[in-house]
Amino acid sequence: MITGIHNCFRLIGIARTLARNDALWPARRIRALRFPVGVIRLLWGRRRPGREGERLAAALTDLGPSFIKLGQALSVRADLVGDQVAEDLSRLQDRLPPFPTEKARAAIEAELEAPIAELFASFEETPVAAASIAQVHFAVTPDGREVAVKVLRPGVEEKFEHDIALFRWLAEQGERFIPSLRRLRPVDVVETFKEWVETEMDLRLEGAAASELAALSRDDEGFRVVAVDWQRTGRRVLTTERIRGLRIDDIDGLTKAGFDVNDLLERSARIFFLQVFRDGFFHADMHPGNMFVDAEGNLCPVDFGIMGRVDKRTRIFLADLLVGFLQRDYRTVAQVHFDFGVVPPHKSKDAFTQAIRSIGEPVLDKPLNEISVGRLLAQLFKVTEDFDMETQPDLLLLQKTMLVAEGVGRKLNPKVNMWTMAQPLIEEWMFANRGPEARIRDAIGETFDALQRLPGTLRRAEDVLEKLSDIDPAAVARFAQQARQGGSRSSRVLQSGVRQGWGPAMVAVLAVLAIFVLFD
């Protein structure tokens, strides 16, 4: 009760901030909320210029760090908020005033259990970056290595836990009292957001992600992942090597330094392809501020708090899909969705092919350099909802990352499409993973897997046979008689058997016998 009252007061404050930024439009679209929203607009509403997404982004910025992060999370859910709003939310800048350096020093010493003077030969007082969760200071280790030290804000865990509890309460109340919201699964959205933030707030996980990406890309020419200093890393502190270089979108600086921007674009496309298709593990926050070009011309990513994973089955699905779209083979694109089970088999393949063509033609009819695969996938995911395709968060994250990568590519060279550069790599990968040799290799692998499972299967079968031999025929007859009297009573018999200590095999056998009796 007290929690509900407290959340209601917080909700009033949130509504007031939304009204002052003219950002109440999401609530106005829900019929049950139109009257209270009208009252709030009358009390605090102001007219603001700009698009709906821009006004919402401004309101979330005013509401603070947790709401900024929530907006960034919603920016990958164009299926919920729409394409334009998602794009506007993706521009939310997670930048806040830095917290005092004395607190940063104290947090580092407490986490690493050593004084700063022992950990670093020098530690810069002014942070180079400050965001909602952490800030970064440059430092030098006693052995002379230049490093970047990321440290969590004091009390950030409690702050986010408090706000996420509010978000969950709001989502639960929305699903309870506003049936039209249930299809958007707001509780699931909050849970996804919670997992995202919790991962970002354990800096050991970010260090592990950087280490994994470095291991996977060790042999990729022109790409280098910063090394993690594990001796100076803990849950609340992450220390990595410092990158000295130019931002990937600093075209003038890159040109003056003698770098070929077309080569950088081609390499970016190749690296992105390798991360997604070869490794199934990709950097999912690849905005220009997170990618640098060092003095040797290497692409050097930073900030590994948000990473994406794609299993092999999904990679094959994506490769078939992209090649089919680029070749305008819409029948194949449709078939891929049915073959991989992402669209139910009872849906019309002809209708689905027509729907795919309706989104493919407008995009692919544009000049080659203006084709956006990211937008194409966004439209595809929106259409597939009508065909009962379940939303897959990893694919949404990948689609959003593609949009960011395309934006960087257009800054490097607006006349070139990075996906046409990657198409030969995709086709080569497809042949290696879908060609005759690959199919034979997969079949052999599946056979060996089955053979490895066979001894365990045989042992379980022997156990069942032994238990069958111990069953009292009279007990089976009594069970069959009870089963004929009704399914609910049979269920109670099974439950009684479990309480009396019957094993899983015994219960399963009797359940099968019940089915035969009932349908005999």
Side-chain angles (χ1 to χ4, degrees):
M1 179 69 176
I2 294 176
T3 300
I5 295 173
H6 175 69
N7 285 335
C8 285
F9 276 108
R10 291 196 67 194
L11 185 58
I12 292 172
I14 293 168
R16 181 168 54 189
T17 301
L18 291 171
R20 287 175 175 173
N21 285 275
D22 195 11
L24 283 167
W25 55 267
R28 285 205 307 270
R29 294 176 180 176
I30 302 170
R31 181 177 299 176
L33 296 180
R34 287 177 183 171
F35 177 74
V37 167
V39 174
I40 293 169
R41 291 182 68 193
L42 185 63
L43 292 173
W44 301 299
R46 296 179 183 175
R47 298 290 297 175
R48 298 280 188 182
R51 295 188 299 270
E52 290 181 338
E54 292 174 332
R55 300 197 304 271
L56 180 59
L60 294 175
T61 300
D62 290 346
L63 287 167
S66 302
F67 292 85
I68 292 173
K69 282 292 181 187
L70 179 63
Q72 291 175 332
L74 289 174
S75 73
V76 303
R77 297 301 305 270
D79 59 316
L80 297 181
V81 298
D83 294 333
Q84 186 60 64
V85 173
E87 183 177 344
D88 291 333
L89 291 178
S90 69
R91 296 173 185 154
L92 270 170
Q93 296 298 306
D94 192 9
R95 296 171 184 167
L96 292 176
F99 58 89
T101 302
E102 303 80 51
K103 291 187 176 182
R105 287 172 171 268
I108 293 169
E109 291 179 338
E111 182 68 30
L112 303 181
E113 300 180 344
I116 286 286
E118 183 180 316
L119 295 166
F120 305 104
S122 65
F123 186 87
E124 293 189 9
E125 293 292 317
T126 304
V128 66
S132 57
I133 286 180
Q135 69 185 32
V136 179
H137 293 259
F138 288 146
V140 178
T141 62
D143 56 359
R145 290 180 294 110
E146 292 185 322
V147 294
V149 185
K150 186 174 186 177
V151 55
L152 292 185
R153 284 182 174 271
V156 67
E157 296 96 335
E158 294 79 6
K159 172 65 176 173
F160 271 92
E161 183 179 353
H162 185 59
D163 287 340
I164 288 172
L166 172 65
F167 297 156
R168 186 187 293 109
W169 180 81
L170 288 174
E172 289 171 350
Q173 301 310 308
E175 288 194 0
R176 180 181 178 185
F177 294 108
I178 307 174
S180 61
L181 284 181
R182 292 171 190 163
R183 69 179 184 85
L184 301 178
R185 299 187 299 175
V187 174
D188 291 343
V189 172
V190 173
E191 286 303 312
T192 301
F193 172 64
K194 177 175 177 285
E195 293 174 7
W196 177 7
V197 171
E198 286 179 346
T199 299
E200 280 198 86
M201 286 194 295
D202 188 340
L203 298 183
R204 295 170 299 185
L205 297 178
E206 181 174 342
S211 179
E212 181 177 356
L213 188 63
L216 292 170
S217 60
R218 183 178 294 112
D219 298 325
D220 295 340
E221 184 179 354
F223 185 75
R224 184 170 68 85
V225 179
V226 294
V228 178
D229 184 344
W230 288 106
Q231 298 303 312
R232 296 172 177 81
T233 292
R235 188 178 64 84
R236 308 190 87 252
V237 177
L238 170 65
T239 303
T240 63
E241 69 172 298
R242 176 179 177 178
I243 290 294
R244 288 189 178 273
L246 299 168
R247 281 174 50 128
I248 189 69
D249 62 343
D250 183 3
I251 308 301
D252 292 338
L254 292 171
T255 303
K256 290 177 182 177
F259 295 117
D260 183 346
V261 291
N262 288 327
D263 174 66
L264 293 173
L265 176 57
E266 184 175 357
R267 205 170 342 134
S268 297
R270 176 171 56 83
I271 291 298
F272 186 82
F273 159 79
L274 292 174
Q275 287 185 15
V276 174
F277 289 97
R278 182 192 64 190
D279 305 326
F281 185 63
F282 62 95
H283 194 303
D285 194 19
M286 198 61 75
H287 62 75
N290 280 344
M291 179 68 83
F292 294 86
V293 180
D294 67 14
E296 289 75 38
N298 295 307
L299 296 172
C300 303
V302 297
D303 193 354
F304 307 91
I306 305 174
M307 305 294 291
R309 291 190 185 275
V310 189
D311 61 26
K312 186 174 181 180
R313 183 175 181 275
T314 306
R315 281 178 263 166
I316 291 174
F317 164 71
L318 281 170
D320 283 335
L321 186 152
L322 290 175
V323 171
F325 262 124
L326 291 173
Q327 295 177 348
R328 297 193 176 200
D329 187 352
Y330 301 116
R331 173 61 66 171
T332 294
V333 174
Q335 187 64 50
V336 165
H337 283 77
F338 283 89
D339 289 345
F340 282 85
V342 292
V343 173
H346 66 273
K347 292 293 181 179
S348 168
K349 193 176 298 181
D350 290 333
F352 189 53
T353 302
Q354 184 178 6
I356 289 174
R357 182 183 294 275
S358 73
I359 64 173
E361 287 297 313
V363 174
L364 298 173
D365 264 346
K366 293 182 178 180
L368 190 61
N369 62 298
E370 295 180 13
I371 293 176
S372 168
V373 173
R375 292 192 180 281
L376 188 66
L377 288 180
Q379 294 294 323
L380 175 64
F381 296 154
K382 188 177 297 184
V383 166
T384 50
E385 285 182 3
D386 298 333
F387 290 84
D388 298 336
M389 176 178 170
E390 188 173 342
T391 299
Q392 300 181 48
D394 284 336
L395 286 181
L396 292 170
L397 188 60
L398 176 61
Q399 177 260 325
K400 190 65 182 180
T401 306
M402 283 183 166
L403 283 175
V404 175
E406 288 174 342
V408 174
R410 287 197 174 89
K411 286 186 178 180
L412 291 174
N413 190 338
K415 298 181 180 180
V416 175
N417 188 304
M418 63 183 296
W419 305 119
T420 57
M421 295 179 171
Q423 185 174 351
L425 296 173
I426 296 174
E427 292 172 343
E428 181 181 341
W429 184 88
M430 284 287 291
F431 182 79
N433 289 272
R434 298 278 278 162
E437 293 182 5
R439 294 179 186 274
I440 294 173
R441 186 173 61 248
D442 290 344
I444 293 173
E446 291 173 2
T447 301
F448 274 111
D449 288 342
L451 290 174
Q452 288 178 333
R453 293 193 301 269
L454 183 59
T457 303
L458 292 176
R459 281 195 298 271
R460 288 192 293 273
E462 290 175 354
D463 291 341
V464 171
L465 290 175
E466 288 179 7
K467 291 186 180 297
L468 280 173
S469 66
D470 294 336
I471 296 178
D472 181 5
V476 174
R478 286 196 303 273
F479 178 80
Q481 180 62 34
Q482 292 169 335
R484 289 191 182 95
Q485 296 174 5
S488 61
R489 185 171 179 181
S490 300
S491 175
R492 291 196 298 272
V493 171
L494 289 177
Q495 294 173 3
S496 174
V498 171
R499 287 195 297 271
Q500 295 173 20
W502 295 359
M506 178 74 78
V507 173
V509 168
L510 291 178
V512 172
L513 287 174
I515 293 171
F516 278 114
V517 169
L518 287 171
F519 292 95
D520 187 9

